[in-house]
């Protein structure tokens, strides 16, 4: 689209998470008028660290926000998969060595630091909290949002970045419900000094046993902390299941004693407990003036650590499509055509999970998927 057309474009983003915030940054850079509508009274992220993969880092460089992200994150060289007692099953650089790898290393960041940094890059007037969307009317060349207080907003382009339980998706594209994965994830952020000497560098380690329990040990050394995640099989599909410390310690039976001790020391008030869900691939993400982004379009299990990365890549892909196409309608078709093959594949790979005796699917960088 022409620069003048982009500057006249009125965009409404539903949801202020990673994807919505990066989309606001990227589309704001194009000159569009962007408004972000978030239902919560404050936009915050708690509970864990995440890994920002090389294509995401490259996008941040293109958006000229890399320095802000780098200030609150740490670079990582490799990822290890280990047995429950610490024997290395597989170790791999991410990505492979080379100039690209050296410039765009995977970086670890706390979810809260990430969203706070993104929000500081946006004008305060752009972000509207306490706006719970209850309805959307697609009118072809524009769409109208209705909020719980009765307020209505009309925009040339509406982006549904409202997560795995997306209202935009359910009302316009698919009424399929999230799919329970038969597992729970228990997460906490702890002091690096309380890890019994396990925090020795900036690299992610995944410990797993033959019962399907996995422990993700993700250093946040720029913070002096570690993100500690126990994922275990369960038949309880409650969205936020209850768990006790005794339950967690029992799950750690047979693991390295240092991991067991970390679990015994956890402050349960800081532990988040979530059942693990994803969604089936959505056949169509867009109409002529509405599109989905991030988990709303392709929520995936966390085994590949790609959920946030793919939401961010969506934001960059959408901005690129708007620059290249002649209209919003054409841009949304181009955006889906480019992004959906990768996200469909990553949803499938993430559902395969990892087994202690077979980790061939652990690194999608081996294929064209980044």
């Amino acid at each position: 689209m022409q620069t003048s057309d982009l500057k006249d474009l009125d965009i409404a983003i539903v949801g202020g998470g990673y994807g919505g915030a990066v989309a606001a940054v990227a589309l704001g850079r194009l000159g569009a008028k962007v408004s972000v509508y978030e239902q919560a009274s404050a936009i915050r992220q708690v509970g864990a660290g995440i890994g920002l993969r090389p294509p995401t880092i490259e996008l941040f460089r293109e958006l000229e926000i890399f320095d802000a992200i780098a200030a609150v994150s740490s670079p990582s060289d490799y990822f290890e998969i280990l047995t429950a007692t610490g024997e290395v099953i597989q170790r791999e650089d991410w990505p492979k060595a080379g100039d690209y790898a050296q410039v765009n290393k995977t970086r670890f960041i706390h979810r809260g630091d990430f969203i706070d940094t993104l929000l500081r890059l946006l004008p305060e007037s752009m972000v509207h909290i306490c706006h719970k969307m209850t309805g959307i009317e697609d009118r072809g060349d524009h769409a109208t949002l209705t909020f719980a207080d009765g307020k209505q907003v009309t925009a040339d382009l509406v982006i549904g970045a409202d997560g795995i339980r997306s209202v935009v998706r359910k009302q316009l594209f698919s009424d399929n419900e999230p799919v329970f994965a038969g597992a729970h994830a228990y997460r906490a952020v702890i002091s690096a000094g309380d890890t019994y000497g396990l925090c020795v560098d900036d690299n992610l380690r995944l410990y797993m046993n033959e019962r399907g329990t996995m422990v993700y040990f993700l250093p946040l050394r720029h913070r002096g902390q570690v993100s500690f995640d126990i994922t275990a099989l369960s038949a309880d599909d409650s969205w936020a299941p209850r768990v006790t410390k005794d339950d967690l310690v029992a799950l750690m039976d047979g693991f390295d004693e240092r991991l067991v001790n970390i679990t015994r020391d956890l402050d349960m008030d800081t532990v988040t407990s979530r059942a693990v869900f994803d969604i089936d691939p959505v056949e169509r993400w867009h109409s002529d003036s509405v599109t989905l982004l991030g988990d709303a379009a392709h929520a995936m299990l966390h085994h590949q650590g790609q959920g946030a990365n793919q939401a961010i890549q969506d934001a960059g892909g959408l901005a690129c499509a708007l620059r290249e196409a002649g209209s919003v309608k054409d841009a949304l078709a181009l955006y889906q055509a480019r992004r959906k093959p990768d996200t469909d594949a990553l949803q499938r790979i993430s559902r395969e999970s990892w087994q202690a005796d077979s980790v061939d699917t652990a690194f999608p960088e081996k294929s064209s998927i980044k």
Side-chain angles (χ1 to χ4, degrees):
M1 296 175 66
Q2 298 294 320
T3 301
S4 58
D5 294 331
L6 289 169
K7 288 185 177 179
D8 289 337
L9 199 63
D10 197 339
I11 301 176
I13 301 174
V14 182
Y18 315 128
V22 176
V25 172
L27 299 174
R29 296 285 196 271
L30 298 182
K33 179 185 175 183
V34 180
S35 298
V36 179
Y37 298 96
E38 167 60 42
Q39 68 175 348
S41 59
I43 301 175
R44 59 174 65 93
Q45 293 285 331
V46 297
I50 57 174
L52 302 174
R53 305 296 263 274
T56 297
I57 298 301
E58 178 65 19
L59 175 60
F60 290 158
R61 292 186 188 279
E62 294 172 7
L63 294 175
E64 299 181 341
I65 63 175
F66 169 77
D67 289 345
I69 299 298
V72 291
S73 62
S74 298
S76 174
D77 293 316
Y78 62 85
F79 171 32
E80 284 187 338
I81 301 177
L82 308 97
T83 66
T85 52
E87 291 78 27
V88 176
I89 301 171
Q90 186 166 342
R91 170 178 166 172
E92 190 152 333
D93 295 339
W94 52 354
K96 298 293 187 181
D99 292 341
Y100 180 86
Q102 295 306 311
V103 172
N104 297 303
K105 288 186 176 182
T106 292
R107 301 187 71 92
F108 294 141
I109 191 168
H110 188 280
R111 293 170 185 261
D113 293 343
F114 188 28
I115 197 67
D116 287 347
T117 299
L118 291 172
L119 291 176
R120 284 196 295 271
L121 297 170
L122 302 176
E124 287 188 17
S125 60
M126 185 183 287
V127 181
H128 308 273
I129 60 174
C130 298
H131 278 67
K132 181 179 180 179
M133 196 205 84
T134 56
I136 180 169
E137 185 176 354
D138 186 344
R139 302 183 179 186
D141 62 352
H142 63 282
T144 298
L145 302 174
T146 301
F147 298 94
D149 62 0
K151 177 180 177 179
Q152 290 190 323
V153 170
T154 296
D156 303 309
L157 170 59
V158 171
I159 301 169
D162 50 340
I164 189 171
R165 294 187 282 186
S166 170
V167 177
V168 177
R169 183 185 71 240
K170 189 165 187 177
Q171 292 196 9
L172 294 184
F173 301 107
S174 171
D175 60 2
N176 289 344
E177 294 295 330
V179 179
F180 178 50
H184 292 171
Y186 312 107
R187 299 182 174 112
V189 176
I190 61 176
S191 170
D194 294 334
T195 61
Y196 296 88
L198 280 177
C199 187
V200 295
D201 54 30
D202 295 300
N203 300 306
L204 173 64
R205 289 175 173 84
L206 167 61
Y207 301 82
M208 56 172 60
N209 68 14
E210 296 178 352
R211 300 187 303 276
T213 301
M214 297 181 283
V215 177
Y216 296 82
F217 190 93
L218 187 151
L220 300 165
R221 290 214 301 167
H222 57 285
R223 266 177 158 246
Q225 293 179 322
V226 168
S227 182
F228 187 73
D229 177 317
I230 301 171
T231 298
L233 301 178
S234 175
D236 178 8
D237 64 354
S238 305
W239 198 264
R242 297 183 64 180
V243 65
T244 68
K245 183 176 291 188
D246 287 344
D247 294 333
L248 295 183
V249 172
L251 289 173
M252 299 302 293
D253 183 42
F255 277 84
D256 185 312
E257 190 62 26
R258 292 170 294 181
L259 296 172
V260 178
N261 287 335
I262 290 171
T263 307
R264 288 196 183 105
D265 293 344
L266 289 175
D267 177 354
M268 293 303 293
D269 289 337
T270 69
V271 175
T272 62
S273 174
R274 295 288 183 270
V276 180
F277 287 83
D278 67 356
I279 62 173
D280 291 326
V282 178
E283 181 177 351
R284 185 175 174 86
W285 296 357
H286 70 90
S287 64
D288 291 351
S289 60
V290 182
T291 193
L292 302 175
L293 182 149
D295 281 357
H298 47 67
M300 56 191 69
L301 303 185
H302 63 284
H303 303 304
Q304 296 292 336
Q306 284 282 1
N309 285 277
Q310 294 308 306
I312 295 163
Q313 292 298 310
D314 284 352
L318 179 56
C320 185
L322 285 166
R323 284 196 305 268
E324 295 180 19
S327 66
V328 171
K329 175 182 176 180
D330 291 343
L332 298 186
L334 179 60
Y335 158 65
Q336 176 174 317
R338 287 177 172 172
R339 294 290 305 138
K340 194 174 189 305
D342 276 2
T343 59
D344 281 354
L346 282 167
Q347 284 183 295
R348 174 182 54 77
I349 292 170
S350 296
R351 276 187 173 179
E352 290 174 359
S353 188
W354 301 335
Q355 304 298 323
D357 58 352
S358 178
V359 292
D360 292 341
T361 63
F363 302 99
E365 280 84 357
K366 290 181 177 180
S367 69
S368 62
I369 303 166
K370 299 298 185 183

